[in-house]
């Protein structure tokens, strides 16, 4: 019962938050003039249209993405949670459904086209999966309380008289 109460009280500490697996195509606008940015936006809109109309996203990323770290992998960003991407990108990707392709998303890096591969919703582990951790934590807390009590008793039990 004590461990189950501790589990209930600390369930959020064991929570795995929402995560997504996504790909993107980046059309970089770094150090570009306003005229160049306009041309690049048209290019990004065309790529987004192709991707939304059944184009192979992986091939489009390999061919068009300026993100040299991810383009060879078809724009694969892997799995990530909230707070790991710039807000504009994060807001867009967490509003999507698996299989969706976004329109053009503008960030400080340029124009992105995003494909959401998968969503991993918030998960809470079963009690039995964290029981060992709970037992260790409860033991440490009890030991610390016991030692505090011993220190307090020692101070009052061993007062010296002059």
């Amino acid at each position: 019962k004590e461990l189950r109460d501790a589990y209930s009280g600390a369930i959020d500490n064991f929570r795995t938050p929402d995560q997504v697996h996504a790909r993107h195509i980046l059309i970089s606008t770094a150090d570009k003039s306003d005229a160049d940015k306009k041309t690049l936006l048209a290019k990004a809109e065309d790529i987004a249209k192709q991707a939304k109309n059944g184009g192979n996203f992986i091939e489009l990323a390999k061919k068009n993405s300026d993100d040299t770290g991810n383009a060879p992998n078809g724009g694969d960003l892997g799995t990530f949670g909230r707070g790991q991407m710039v807000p504009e990108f994060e807001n867009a990707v967490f509003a999507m459904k698996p299989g969706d392709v976004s329109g053009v998303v503008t960030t400080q890096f340029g124009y992105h086209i995003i494909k959401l591969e998968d969503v991993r919703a918030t998960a809470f582990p079963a009690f039995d999966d964290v029981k060992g951790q709970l037992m260790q934590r409860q033991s440490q807390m009890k030991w610390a309380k016991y030692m505090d009590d011993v220190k307090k008793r020692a101070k009052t039990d061993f007062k010296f008289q002059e």
Side-chain angles (χ1 to χ4, degrees):
K1 180 179 177 348
E2 182 180 338
L3 290 178
R4 288 202 181 274
D5 289 345
Y7 173 74
S8 295
I11 189 84
D12 277 343
N13 295 336
F14 297 108
R15 177 176 57 92
T16 302
D18 289 347
Q19 294 188 328
V20 293
H21 175 203
R23 296 178 181 276
H24 84 137
I25 299 167
L26 170 66
I27 307 302
S28 177
T29 57
D31 301 320
K32 303 292 184 192
S33 69
D34 287 344
D36 287 342
K37 287 179 183 179
K38 191 173 183 178
T39 302
L40 293 171
L41 177 58
K43 176 182 178 181
E45 288 171 341
D46 181 58
I47 295 167
K49 184 177 179 181
Q50 290 177 54
K52 285 183 173 219
N53 290 331
N56 184 318
F57 195 93
I58 293 171
E59 292 306 316
L60 287 168
K62 287 178 180 180
K63 181 180 173 186
N64 297 289
S65 185
D66 293 329
D67 184 344
T68 56
N70 298 20
N73 300 326
D76 194 352
L77 295 170
T79 301
F80 56 91
R82 293 184 187 276
Q84 293 182 267
M85 300 291 177
V86 293
E88 303 85 356
F89 189 98
E90 180 179 297
N91 292 338
V93 75
F94 277 93
M96 297 168 67
K97 294 179 183 155
D100 283 356
V101 175
S102 73
V104 175
V105 176
T106 304
T107 73
Q108 66 201 44
F109 302 107
Y111 306 120
H112 303 261
I113 299 96
I114 306 166
K115 180 174 184 189
L116 181 60
E117 296 289 344
D118 190 28
V119 174
R120 296 183 186 155
T122 300
F124 295 93
F127 172 76
D128 289 337
D129 293 340
V130 294
K131 187 177 178 180
Q133 289 176 288
L134 289 167
M135 287 175 66
Q136 184 178 9
R137 185 183 302 163
Q138 290 299 104
S139 294
Q140 289 170 343
M141 288 173 37
K142 283 184 177 187
W143 180 252
K145 184 182 180 322
Y146 172 76
M147 291 306 294
D148 282 346
D149 290 346
V150 168
K151 287 177 190 175
K152 286 177 188 172
R153 279 197 317 264
K155 286 181 183 175
T156 58
D157 290 349
F158 295 104
K159 287 190 177 177
F160 295 99
Q161 294 189 9
E162 292 182 34

